[in-house]
Amino acid sequence: MRLRYSFRLYPTLGQQQALARAFGCARVVFNDGLRARQDAHAAGQSYISDVELSKRVITAAKRTEERAWLGEVSAVVLQQALADLNTAYRNFFASLSGRRKGRKVAPPRYRSRKDNRQTIRFTKNARFALLDNGRLRLPKIGDIEVRWSRDLPSEPSSVTVVKDACGRYYASFVVQTTDTPLPEVEPEVGIDLGLTSFAVCSDGTVIGNPRVLRRAERRLKKAQKALSRKAKGSRNRVKARVRVAKLHAKVADARRDFAHKLSTRIVRDNQAVYVEDLCVSGLARTRLAKSVHDAGWSAFVNMLEYKAARYGRYFARIGRFEPTSQVCSACGVKDGPKPLHIREWTCPACRAVHDRDVNAARNILAAGRVDRLNACGAQVRPGLVPAPRGEAGTHSKLTPAQV
Ligand SMILES: [Zn+2]
C-alpha cells in the first residue's frame, strides 16, 4: 500500500527564500499552462497536449526574458506543477463524461499567492536525498533540517514540501508499505456516526468528541468572531487572521490525531468493521450536513478503510437507504420515524428498550453481515489503496499510518 508520512521541516531563512521562489515558479507554470489551454479553447483550437504544453510553458518560456527566472528552480518542480494541472483536467473531463463517479469535479482554477497552502513536489528524478546527518537535500534549495518523528518504512518515491497557513513547513513522503495482517479476532462492529457523540458502536460503546478538540473548537469560534469585528486593512485584523489560522491548524491536528487513534483501535480490535455510507446516510442530506462534515467523519471512515486493508481486516460501507433508526435491532419490526430528540424507545413488538444510536449501530452491523455472507467467496479486496488525499500535509507529531 502507498501511504504518506509527514514530518516537520525547519528551513533556514535562506532556504525559506529558496522555497518561496520554488512555490512561486510552480504556481506561475501552473497558471501559464491553465491560461494557454483556456485561450486555445476560447479560440476554438484543440486541447493542448501535455508534451506540447510542457514545451511551451517550461522549455520555451525559460528562454524568454520575462520567464528566465524559471531556470532558478529544479525543473522537476515545474514539471510536477504541470502534472498537477494535467491531472486536474483529466479528472474534470472524466467527471464531465461520467467516467468518474462521485461528486462533480470543477475545471482547474488559477493558483494564488494568497492560497493558504503552498506545495511543490520532487520526484526521484529530481534526486532529492535523505542524508546521513538526518537532513533532507532538495535540489536548488539546500539541506533542510527535519524532525524525524518516526522511521520511514521504505525509500520514498516522492516528497511534497508544504507550507501551511500558519507558515509551518512539512515534508510529505510517499512510501510503499507492506501489508501486515494482524492475527484474526472474533468481534465485528457496526458504527453509527452520531450527532451528540462522535460515534456509537454496536457493542454499546459511545465515543464522544475529545475534550482537547472541543476546547480548540470553542477557541476557534471566538477568534473567528473577533476577526469579523476588526476593521478591514487594519494591523489588528492581520493579527486576528494569523490567530484564526493557528487555531484552525490546532483543531485540524487534534481532529486528525483523534481519528487516527480511534480508527487504529477499532481496526485492531475487530475482524470486520461496518459503517453507514455517509453519502447515503439520512443526516448528510439534511440541514445538519455541515456539522456532519465538520465532525471529520469522512476522514475517519477513510482511515478505517485503508487501515483495514493494510491489516487484513474486512471493511464495508453500508450503502442502503435503510432507516437504521426505525427498525428494532432485536426483532426487526419497523416502528416508523422518530424525531431526533427521542434518544430512547421501546419496541412495540418485543418490548426491547433501545438507545437510538446503539440500535442504529446494531442494524448497521446486521446489514453488513448479510452483505458479507452474500458476497462470500466472491469478495475481492483491493490490494492497493492509495494514500488518502486528506493525509497530505499531516502534521508534526501525528502518525498517519501507525497501528
Ligand atoms: Zn423488537
Side-chain angles (χ1 to χ4, degrees), residues 328 330-333 347 349-352 354:
C328 168
C331 71
V333 156
C347 171
C350 72
R351 311 306 302 164
H354 292 298

Side-chain angles (χ1 to χ4, degrees), residues 147-305:
R147 205 177 71 198
W148 297 102
S149 41
R150 58 188 171 138
D151 291 334
L152 284 174
S154 63
E155 191 81 15
S157 57
S158 76
V159 58
T160 302
V161 178
V162 182
K163 185 186 182 193
D164 73 8
C166 326
R168 299 179 297 185
Y169 294 85
Y170 296 91
S172 173
F173 297 95
V174 173
V175 287
Q176 188 73 35
T177 61
T178 42
D179 296 352
T180 42
L182 294 169
E184 277 199 29
V185 290
E186 263 316 293
E188 302 194 346
V189 70
I191 302 172
D192 180 54
L193 299 166
L195 277 178
T196 43
S197 51
F198 180 79
V200 176
C201 299
S202 49
D203 62 4
T205 319
V206 177
I207 300 150
N209 284 302
R211 199 175 338 148
V212 262
L213 179 55
R214 288 200 313 257
R215 205 183 309 141
E217 280 174 336
R218 244 187 343 258
R219 281 202 200 123
L220 173 61
K221 214 170 266 173
K222 249 171 103 179
Q224 275 167 334
K225 241 181 232 162
L227 170 63
S228 69
R229 281 194 299 264
K230 300 284 184 285
K232 272 211 176 125
S234 70
R235 295 249 342 130
N236 278 333
R237 191 178 172 88
V238 174
K239 275 191 238 161
R241 195 181 311 120
V242 171
R243 191 170 150 69
V244 165
K246 282 191 176 151
L247 286 168
H248 247 300
K250 206 165 238 175
V251 167
D253 287 357
R255 192 173 283 156
R256 196 179 300 112
D257 193 31
F258 166 68
H260 267 301
K261 285 182 180 144
L262 182 61
S263 55
T264 293
R265 203 178 70 213
I266 290 172
V267 165
R268 195 187 50 214
D269 296 348
N270 294 281
Q271 192 60 33
V273 181
Y274 308 104
V275 186
E276 186 169 23
D277 193 336
L278 287 176
C279 307
V280 177
S281 121
L283 294 172
R285 279 178 284 116
T286 67
R287 188 145 53 93
L288 293 165
K290 195 181 166 335
S291 68
V292 166
H293 295 304
D294 278 353
W297 283 344
S298 49
F300 169 68
V301 171
N302 286 339
M303 286 178 194
L304 283 176
E305 183 171 25

Side-chain angles (χ1 to χ4, degrees), residues 9-23 73 120 122 131 133 135-146 161 163 169:
L9 291 179
Y10 295 93
T12 61
L13 265 179
Q15 290 166 349
Q16 288 177 25
Q17 281 160 2
L19 282 168
R21 200 153 50 225
F23 289 135
V73 307
I120 44 171
F122 297 85
L131 305 179
N133 63 9
R135 287 174 184 247
L136 169 65
R137 174 165 291 169
L138 296 176
K140 304 210 180 181
I141 306 235
D143 299 349
I144 305 180
E145 192 188 329
V146 186
V161 178
K163 185 186 182 193
Y169 294 85

Side-chain angles (χ1 to χ4, degrees), residues 316-380:
R317 289 186 170 84
I318 305 308
R320 291 189 244 169
F321 286 91
E322 221 157 69
T324 47
S325 61
Q326 297 179 21
V327 176
C328 168
S329 59
C331 71
V333 156
K334 193 172 162 189
D335 189 30
K338 293 161 210 72
L340 266 179
H341 69 267
I342 295 189
R343 306 310 313 165
E344 214 182 78
W345 53 285
T346 307
C347 171
C350 72
R351 311 306 302 164
V353 179
H354 292 298
D355 173 274
R356 181 195 185 94
D357 298 330
V358 176
N359 182 64
R362 285 192 185 134
N363 283 330
I364 290 166
L365 173 62
R369 279 186 171 147
V370 170
D371 284 359
R372 192 181 177 189
L373 276 177
N374 288 341
C376 206
Q379 191 63 45
V380 182

